[in-house]
Amino acid sequence: MKRSERIVAMTYHFKENPRKLISLPYFVDTFEAAKSSVSEDIDIIDEMFQSLGVGRIETTAGATGGVRYIPDYDFNNGRYFIEQLIKVLEDAERILPGGYIYMSDVLGDNNYVRQIGKVFGATFRDIEVDYIVTVATKGIPLAYAIAEVLNVPIVIIRRDPKVTEGSTVSINYVSGSSRKIQTMALAKRSIPEGSNVLLVDDFMKAGGTIKGMENLMEEFNATVKGIGVLAEAEDEDEERRVDDYISLLKIQEVDERTEAIKIVPGNYFDEK
Amino acid sequence: MKRSERIVAMTYHFKENPRKLISLPYFVDTFEAAKSSVSEDIDIIDEMFQSLGVGRIETTAGATGGVRYIPDYDFNNGRYFIEQLIKVLEDAERILPGGYIYMSDVLGDNNYVRQIGKVFGATFRDIEVDYIVTVATKGIPLAYAIAEVLNVPIVIIRRDPKVTEGSTVSINYVSGSSRKIQTMALAKRSIPEGSNVLLVDDFMKAGGTIKGMENLMEEFNATVKGIGVLAEAEDEDEERRVDDYISLLKIQEVDERTEAIKIVPGNYFDEK
């Protein structure tokens, strides 16, 4: 097999298996190539991935060593993407009664969701998590897209426990926006004791739902290592119940009367 | 830029943008390479993708022409994957009261879900659909994984309309397993009139939910072009209400007393 052919196959394989350790002998055997040739191929891919701003190939030496594709997403590309997304969302047609913004189309479009997954994937790149936890419904594609980058499973908290979940642990919590008592349930066997988790949701206002997720995680003796929300909005009536989170969008104003929407990049873009 | 470097970037780009038409001048400009070199690069990638069984690069001639990566998934690889999945699922520990099988972990694991998405993506490769429609909750990662292969948006039907959906269309339907009347709701603006849709769900027994989805699609004047369910199970008490669907798994027996589970490949694997 020629170098160019090996490089197609290896690039595809890395992209398909982010964060998975691949032993060099696997490539050597698959391509019937010399170890030195395979190493050179990997160097070319590594350099090109870095110059494209999509991550790098990490090499671990030793008997249990190998290579691993660690995806990344260039901060400026992320910021540019979020600015484009803001333009899409700042459309008066999206205003819903109650001052909400219709976002279901964006949250169902893999072209947006994959990018959002990459930004969060880069954000939480160095945090070791075992599970990404979200609550039904709209945050699920988002959680899945992040899971594809971090290569960990997702776990879905439900409002209504179903027979197909087996026995569940449930808690009650007070929703910030409606001030109603609501229920969250999660299958007992979904998260082993002592796991590290990342909480993900599409939208946060007073933070009641995220707070509820945190409380539910305590029931599983799980440690919350990070919180990511796509969009946050200020709640004039109530103080936020969650301090430490990453948001990509901040909804500052939705005025039904004047049809004005004001969205700015979220706190992820503050620090740098 | 050298050929091997261009090939890394192009392979990554194709894998990142399935089914998207890319004009040759885009590559020529990006890499500052001759058109003939880029064409040769694409031939190498095309041949390698075909030999890996992961699809091909389709070339369209003319002024509006370009190249497009059409993902595919080798039938035998798909069958092998399903056999492995059956081994994972045929574990007595998964048996739940009522004769259900716990599958939430599999449906949350991107390593399984991505493969399932590819098998369905290959199955529905030649059907032109505008949207993939699923019903909350567990089918969502599945629908998203198929959407990534077919590059179309997903639309999520909910049991409980929420304020963030805007105005919704809802129907009542009779669930096959519980024989209860249930509700399905979908945001009015989610599917334009006359769309072609693919229905996806994780599990089908009597088919009441899928039938309900079909009825709801009628309200949107949408045409159902295909139906895909991960697992089907026979309902001894009731005839199936849906005829034309593709399943990847068929649950033949779940015996709580003897702890026996029998799963076979679904009807997708019958025909060939």
Side-chain angles (χ1 to χ4, degrees):
Chain A
M1 208 184 270
K2 284 189 208 149
R3 157 146 296 153
S4 53
E5 293 171 331
R6 286 196 308 266
I7 281 186
V8 172
M10 287 165 78
T11 303
Y12 185 92
H13 193 83
F14 281 128
K15 182 97 175 70
E16 184 72 10
N17 297 285
R19 288 180 167 257
K20 249 186 222 159
L21 190 70
I22 304 154
S23 74
L24 274 192
Y26 170 79
F27 283 135
V28 169
D29 294 349
T30 305
F31 303 129
E32 293 171 0
K35 201 180 164 193
S36 59
S37 305
V38 168
S39 291
E40 280 168 39
D41 297 344
I42 289 170
D43 286 343
I44 294 168
I45 296 171
D46 180 31
E47 275 168 38
M48 203 59 209
F49 275 10
Q50 293 198 38
S51 105
L52 291 167
V54 298
R56 67 199 158 77
I57 309 296
E58 192 185 79
T59 305
T60 325
T64 59
V67 288
R68 194 197 310 258
Y69 167 41
I70 308 289
D72 203 352
Y73 197 52
D74 182 84
F75 184 78
N76 292 319
N77 289 350
R79 190 172 170 109
Y80 177 77
F81 161 69
I82 288 298
E83 278 159 10
Q84 301 307 306
L85 183 57
I86 288 173
K87 279 182 199 158
V88 170
L89 294 174
E90 277 184 339
D91 173 351
E93 301 264 313
R94 292 186 173 274
I95 299 179
L96 296 173
Y100 291 96
I101 299 175
Y102 183 79
M103 293 176 67
S104 299
D105 57 335
V106 164
L107 292 166
D109 186 331
N110 70 87
N111 293 294
Y112 290 116
V113 173
R114 209 175 330 128
Q115 304 281 335
I116 297 167
K118 283 180 184 177
V119 179
F120 276 124
T123 310
F124 297 116
R125 191 186 47 195
D126 300 322
I127 296 176
E128 291 289 330
V129 292
D130 306 304
Y131 295 92
I132 295 175
V133 180
T134 190
V135 62
T137 304
K138 285 209 290 285
I140 299 173
L142 219 60
Y144 182 79
I146 304 171
E148 280 202 307
V149 179
L150 298 180
N151 192 29
V152 291
I154 68 165
V155 160
I156 304 170
I157 298 170
R158 303 177 65 117
R159 312 279 182 183
D160 53 332
K162 278 191 85 173
V163 59
T164 50
E165 299 289 325
S167 52
T168 55
V169 176
S170 55
I171 58 149
N172 296 313
Y173 71 101
V174 180
S175 152
S177 19
S178 65
R179 306 251 171 130
K180 273 190 288 194
I181 291 179
Q182 300 202 44
T183 305
M184 275 184 191
L186 182 57
K188 252 188 189 165
R189 56 173 105 184
S190 61
I191 302 181
E193 292 261 321
S195 298
N196 292 325
V197 299
L198 176 63
L199 306 184
V200 169
D201 207 0
D202 56 317
F203 182 70
M204 177 173 77
K205 208 166 178 177
T209 304
I210 294 282
K211 195 77 208 156
M213 293 168 82
E214 287 184 321
N215 293 343
L216 187 54
M217 286 306 102
E218 281 172 25
E219 298 292 323
F220 284 82
N221 284 320
T223 307
V224 176
K225 288 286 194 177
I227 300 171
V229 293
L230 173 60
E232 59 169 316
E234 272 161 35
D235 191 330
E236 291 162 11
D237 307 328
E238 204 164 347
E239 226 179 303
R240 177 148 300 147
R241 288 176 229 167
V242 177
D243 299 321
D244 199 10
Y245 61 90
I246 299 287
S247 69
L248 302 192
L249 299 168
K250 189 168 186 167
I251 301 169
Q252 288 190 324
E253 190 195 348
V254 183
D255 191 320
E256 288 180 69
R257 200 181 47 80
T258 63
E259 297 201 327
I261 305 182
K262 178 74 188 154
I263 306 176
V264 296
N267 67 17
Y268 172 60
F269 300 99
D270 282 354
E271 303 147 49
K272 312 192 185 181
Chain B
M1 208 184 272
K2 285 191 207 146
R3 158 145 297 153
S4 53
E5 293 171 331
R6 287 196 308 265
I7 281 186
V8 173
M10 287 165 79
T11 303
Y12 185 93
H13 193 84
F14 281 128
K15 181 98 176 70
E16 185 72 10
N17 296 284
R19 289 181 166 256
K20 251 186 220 158
L21 191 70
I22 304 154
S23 74
L24 273 193
Y26 170 79
F27 283 136
V28 169
D29 294 350
T30 304
F31 303 129
E32 294 171 359
K35 200 179 164 194
S36 58
S37 305
V38 168
S39 292
E40 281 168 38
D41 298 343
I42 290 170
D43 286 344
I44 294 168
I45 296 171
D46 180 30
E47 276 168 37
M48 203 59 210
F49 276 10
Q50 293 198 37
S51 105
L52 292 168
V54 298
R56 67 199 158 78
I57 309 296
E58 191 185 79
T59 305
T60 326
T64 58
V67 287
R68 196 196 309 257
Y69 167 41
I70 309 289
D72 203 353
Y73 196 51
D74 181 84
F75 184 78
N76 292 320
N77 289 350
R79 187 167 174 116
Y80 177 77
F81 162 69
I82 289 298
E83 278 159 11
Q84 300 308 305
L85 183 57
I86 287 173
K87 281 183 198 157
V88 170
L89 294 173
E90 278 184 339
D91 173 351
E93 300 263 312
R94 294 186 171 274
I95 299 179
L96 298 172
Y100 291 95
I101 298 176
Y102 184 78
M103 293 176 66
S104 300
D105 58 335
V106 164
L107 292 166
D109 186 332
N110 70 86
N111 293 294
Y112 291 116
V113 173
R114 208 175 331 127
Q115 304 281 335
I116 297 167
K118 283 181 183 176
V119 179
F120 276 124
T123 311
F124 297 116
R125 192 186 48 197
D126 300 323
I127 297 176
E128 290 288 330
V129 293
D130 305 305
Y131 295 92
I132 295 175
V133 180
T134 191
V135 62
T137 303
K138 284 208 291 284
I140 299 174
L142 219 61
Y144 182 79
I146 304 172
E148 280 203 308
V149 179
L150 297 180
N151 193 26
V152 291
I154 68 164
V155 160
I156 303 170
I157 299 171
R158 302 176 64 115
R159 312 278 180 182
D160 53 332
K162 278 191 84 172
V163 59
T164 49
E165 299 289 323
S167 51
T168 55
V169 177
S170 55
I171 59 150
N172 296 313
Y173 72 101
V174 180
S175 152
S177 19
S178 64
R179 307 251 171 128
K180 273 190 286 193
I181 291 179
Q182 300 203 43
T183 306
M184 274 185 193
L186 183 57
K188 252 188 190 163
R189 57 173 103 184
S190 60
I191 302 181
E193 292 260 321
S195 298
N196 292 324
V197 298
L198 176 63
L199 306 185
V200 169
D201 207 359
D202 55 318
F203 182 70
M204 178 172 78
K205 206 165 179 178
T209 305
I210 294 284
K211 195 78 209 158
M213 291 168 82
E214 286 183 321
N215 293 343
L216 186 54
M217 288 304 103
E218 281 173 25
E219 298 292 322
F220 284 83
N221 284 319
T223 307
V224 175
K225 288 284 193 178
I227 300 171
V229 293
L230 173 60
E232 59 169 314
E234 272 160 36
D235 191 330
E236 290 161 13
D237 307 328
E238 205 165 349
E239 226 179 303
R240 177 148 298 148
R241 289 177 226 167
V242 177
D243 298 320
D244 199 10
Y245 62 89
I246 299 285
S247 69
L248 303 192
L249 298 169
K250 190 168 186 168
I251 300 168
Q252 286 190 326
E253 189 195 349
V254 183
D255 192 318
E256 287 179 71
R257 200 181 47 80
T258 63
E259 297 202 325
I261 306 182
K262 177 75 189 154
I263 306 176
V264 295
N267 67 18
Y268 172 60
F269 300 99
D270 282 354
E271 301 147 49
K272 312 191 184 178

